[in-house]
Amino acid sequence: MDVMTHSSTFLLPGNDHSSSVTYALVVLNQRLPRFTPILWDHAQVRVCADGGANRVFDEMPLLFPRDDALDVRHRYKPDIIKGDMDSIRTEVLDFYTNLGTKVVDESHDQDTTDLHKCVAYIRDFAPNLDKSNLCILVAGALGGRFDHEAGNINVLYRFSTTRIILLSDDCLIYLLPRTHCHEIHIQSSVEGPHCGLIPIGMTSVSTTTTGLQWDLTNTEMRFGDLVSTSNLVQGEKITVQSSSDLLWTISIKKV
Amino acid sequence: MDVMTHSSTFLLPGNDHSSSVTYALVVLNQRLPRFTPILWDHGSVSLVAFSFFANCLPPCMRERDKVFSFGFWRCVTAQVRVCADGGANRVFDEMPLLFPRDDALDVRHRYKPDIIKGDMDSIRTEVLDFYTNLGTKVVDESHDQDTTDLHKCVAYIRDFAPNLDKSNLCILVAGALGGRFDHEAGNINVLYRFSTTRIILLSDDCLIYLLPRTHCHEIHIQSSVEGPHCGLIPIGMTSVSTTTTGLQWDLTNTEMRFGDLVSTSNLVQGEKITVQSSSDLLWTISIKKV
């Protein structure tokens, strides 16, 4: 079975020139995580899902309180605004379209969530993007209404062959597909130690891990019984292999 | 198959003397939902309701509308209030913020937990001392690392709490959602592990509870305080067949699973939803901002 490696280098400020990963950023309509500028700088395309554009407009200046707000808004201009357009304010839409942001209105399509639309767009249509090693970072996918959160988690399962990472101020989540053995390299300056493995959607008959405080050894996990939460990373490398898709979650450190 | 009925009357204003439900409240370590005082009855129903509501009235209205506002809010009597570890910090710090016109010490006396329980790694010493001096019972379970704080609180309420009529028990949980996702998943797992106990997870934005597959479900919508956004989530396993009535996008023997269809961003139509499923489902509905 092939090994899939994971590393949260997108949380580290600065440019990692050795990285071959192409990052895309999707901003949803929740309060921006405080490290959003770091994600923005790593990303080669930045997509706001509908009301996510309000968040960038309103809250990016708050993350740079010493800078001129208009200046910040020019620096952090989305490449694309996409979705059903029922949340974005007219003034925000006008501001970014005047700066050249491309707007893709999909108000006709009520069958998929805003995040689903954005991921599909990035994966299938975004031009000039090297997608051979693509990783989509999503800010604002957690918290708020639980049905939204569940719908966003479902996007991870529906696009299980695409790396998608959901981020909030407190934690990140991504899918560990059952098709691979996983190596997770811990960036301990920015993440951990609290972590978990969550068998959303189906029982995991057998999971084996190394590197956790409470490792699993061919252990069954399912809702109603054991779910690995409040676990702790030990050291720098975690390995996970499971008979089912699992969600990996790890806490993000407050600076 | 037996019918199980559900109704969010614990969020409703007014007095419901016909209710035979016994409520317990558990407070976890997240920011308190703004309606926490409504869940927490302490002393006279109308006095608590008045002072809470009065803080929301503009000054010109307060005197004139005193008679109207008396008893305006329904304060469901929570017969036991349990703080899970750092939840006691939240009550201590944030209850006074919900009553900005009242003396903070006064508010802290009024909203005193009956029990503080858990592994005690989050509660501040000053908070622990404050409440123990007022008579709050402290149950230290720092030796038990196998279960979450919420699990410990639910087990305590269900199995040990004295003087509590548990024949129709409903456990309300504030602060179970948001924050770290592994905490949230662990809290949701408590719903599945105690599937025969009514447990409702609440945040400012929404509530969640389990619809066990053993019953047909009737959900009576309190449209003044909840909805219209809702969803049915097959968290733990594929649901081979679910049938609903009363939703914008009803399901008819429809399969739901992660990786395929999950009913999110649905909308309630009218006052009654019915759900029957081959698997346990989570029901979630939005809570209205006042």
Side-chain angles (χ1 to χ4, degrees):
Chain A
M1 190 179 280
D2 286 344
V3 173
M4 189 172 174
T5 59
H6 309 266
S7 181
S8 301
T9 47
F10 50 84
L11 285 175
L12 300 174
N15 261 318
D16 182 1
H17 295 292
S18 65
S19 170
S20 60
V21 178
T22 300
Y23 290 105
L25 175 64
V26 176
V27 181
L28 301 182
N29 193 3
Q30 295 286 341
R31 198 187 64 203
L32 295 186
R34 66 196 175 288
F35 48 78
T36 302
I38 294 178
L39 307 179
W40 194 288
D41 291 342
H42 281 288
Q44 295 194 20
V45 66
R46 300 97 174 184
V47 182
C48 286
D50 195 5
N54 298 336
R55 296 286 178 172
V56 172
F57 185 88
D58 294 337
E59 298 177 18
M60 274 303 201
L62 302 178
L63 296 174
F64 295 93
R66 295 176 193 282
D67 294 10
D68 173 69
L70 189 60
D71 218 44
V72 175
R73 289 178 176 134
H74 277 82
R75 285 203 329 257
Y76 293 95
K77 169 183 83 72
D79 301 298
I80 296 148
I81 296 172
K82 188 167 175 62
D84 53 29
M85 303 301 163
D86 58 3
S87 299
I88 187 171
R89 299 198 309 269
T90 311
E91 49 153 340
V92 174
L93 187 57
D94 291 346
F95 180 85
Y96 289 127
T97 48
N98 286 338
L99 291 183
T101 299
K102 181 175 171 187
V103 174
V104 184
D105 185 333
E106 286 196 329
S107 45
H108 60 276
D109 178 3
Q110 292 296 322
D111 284 344
T112 55
T113 63
D114 283 347
L115 176 59
H116 186 123
K117 293 178 175 71
C118 291
V119 168
Y121 178 88
I122 290 167
R123 205 183 62 155
D124 300 335
F125 294 106
N128 308 323
L129 197 66
D130 175 7
K131 296 169 213 177
S132 55
N133 197 0
L134 174 66
C135 178
I136 302 177
L137 309 172
V138 185
L142 306 174
R145 271 170 44 194
F146 181 72
D147 70 306
H148 272 167
E149 187 173 300
N152 291 333
I153 288 169
N154 194 30
V155 170
L156 304 186
Y157 282 76
R158 291 180 90 159
F159 291 90
S160 60
T161 57
T162 302
R163 289 180 188 262
I164 306 168
I165 304 182
L166 307 185
L167 292 133
S168 76
D169 265 314
D170 300 293
C171 65
L172 59 82
I173 297 176
Y174 52 85
L175 191 74
L176 302 178
R178 66 183 173 282
T179 47
H180 289 70
C181 303
H182 298 276
E183 281 184 15
I184 303 171
H185 297 269
I186 303 299
Q187 303 296 337
S188 55
S189 63
V190 290
E191 63 182 355
H194 308 282
C195 63
L197 287 162
I198 321 291
I200 295 263
M202 61 185 293
T203 297
S204 171
V205 171
S206 172
T207 300
T208 299
T209 69
T210 65
L212 299 175
Q213 170 109 340
W214 291 285
D215 272 319
L216 306 170
T217 309
N218 291 319
T219 311
E220 179 180 286
M221 289 202 292
R222 62 177 175 85
F223 273 83
D225 201 340
L226 176 69
V227 173
S228 178
T229 67
S230 295
N231 212 329
L232 296 166
V233 299
Q234 312 272 70
E236 293 192 351
K237 190 171 95 167
I238 310 299
T239 67
V240 183
Q241 190 171 337
S242 178
S243 57
S244 299
D245 296 345
L246 293 178
L247 284 192
W248 163 256
T249 182
I250 188 166
S251 54
I252 292 178
K253 290 184 167 163
K254 316 287 185 200
V255 173
Chain B
M1 191 178 278
D2 285 345
V3 172
M4 188 172 174
T5 59
H6 309 266
S7 181
S8 301
T9 47
F10 49 85
L11 286 174
L12 268 191
N15 260 321
D16 182 1
H17 293 292
S18 64
S19 172
S20 59
V21 180
T22 300
Y23 291 101
L25 175 64
V26 177
V27 181
L28 301 181
N29 193 2
Q30 295 285 340
R31 197 187 66 200
L32 296 185
R34 66 196 176 287
F35 48 79
T36 302
I38 295 179
L39 309 179
W40 190 315
D41 178 65
H42 196 91
S44 158
V45 170
S46 53
L47 280 177
V48 173
F50 175 67
S51 73
F52 180 59
F53 183 69
N55 292 329
C56 309
L57 290 175
C60 60
M61 284 184 67
R62 272 178 215 137
E63 277 305 308
R64 184 186 69 192
D65 290 314
K66 201 180 285 190
V67 171
F68 169 74
S69 62
F70 230 73
F72 176 81
W73 287 106
R74 182 215 183 177
C75 281
V76 168
T77 302
Q79 296 195 12
V80 64
R81 302 95 175 178
V82 182
C83 284
D85 195 5
N89 297 338
R90 295 287 177 171
V91 173
F92 185 89
D93 294 338
E94 297 177 18
M95 276 303 204
L97 302 179
L98 297 174
F99 295 92
R101 295 175 193 280
D102 292 9
D103 174 69
L105 189 60
D106 215 46
V107 175
R108 289 178 177 135
H109 277 81
R110 286 204 325 257
Y111 293 95
K112 170 182 82 71
D114 300 298
I115 298 149
I116 296 172
K117 188 168 176 60
D119 52 29
M120 302 302 163
D121 59 1
S122 300
I123 189 171
R124 300 200 307 270
T125 312
E126 50 153 338
V127 174
L128 187 56
D129 291 346
F130 180 85
Y131 288 126
T132 48
N133 287 337
L134 292 182
T136 299
K137 181 176 170 187
V138 174
V139 184
D140 186 334
E141 287 198 324
S142 45
H143 60 275
D144 179 2
Q145 292 295 326
D146 284 345
T147 55
T148 64
D149 283 346
L150 176 59
H151 185 122
K152 293 179 176 72
C153 290
V154 168
Y156 179 87
I157 290 166
R158 206 184 59 158
D159 299 336
F160 295 106
N163 307 323
L164 196 67
D165 176 8
K166 296 170 213 178
S167 55
N168 197 0
L169 175 66
C170 178
I171 302 177
L172 309 172
V173 186
L177 307 173
R180 271 171 43 196
F181 182 73
D182 69 306
H183 273 167
E184 187 173 298
N187 291 332
I188 288 169
N189 195 30
V190 170
L191 305 186
Y192 281 78
R193 292 181 89 159
F194 291 89
S195 60
T196 57
T197 302
R198 288 181 189 261
I199 305 168
I200 304 182
L201 307 185
L202 291 135
S203 76
D204 264 315
D205 300 294
C206 65
L207 59 82
I208 297 177
Y209 52 85
L210 191 74
L211 302 179
R213 64 183 176 283
T214 47
H215 288 71
C216 302
H217 297 278
E218 280 185 15
I219 303 171
H220 297 268
I221 303 298
Q222 305 296 340
S223 55
S224 62
V225 291
E226 65 182 354
H229 308 282
C230 62
L232 287 161
I233 321 290
I235 284 273
M237 60 184 293
T238 296
S239 171
V240 171
S241 172
T242 300
T243 299
T244 69
T245 65
L247 299 174
Q248 170 110 341
W249 292 283
D250 273 319
L251 305 170
T252 310
N253 291 318
T254 311
E255 178 180 286
M256 289 203 291
R257 62 177 175 85
F258 273 81
D260 200 339
L261 176 70
V262 173
S263 178
T264 67
S265 294
N266 212 327
L267 296 166
V268 300
Q269 312 271 69
E271 292 191 351
K272 188 170 94 167
I273 309 298
T274 66
V275 183
Q276 190 171 338
S277 179
S278 57
S279 299
D280 296 346
L281 293 178
L282 285 189
W283 163 256
T284 181
I285 187 165
S286 54
I287 291 178
K288 289 185 167 162
K289 316 286 185 198
V290 171

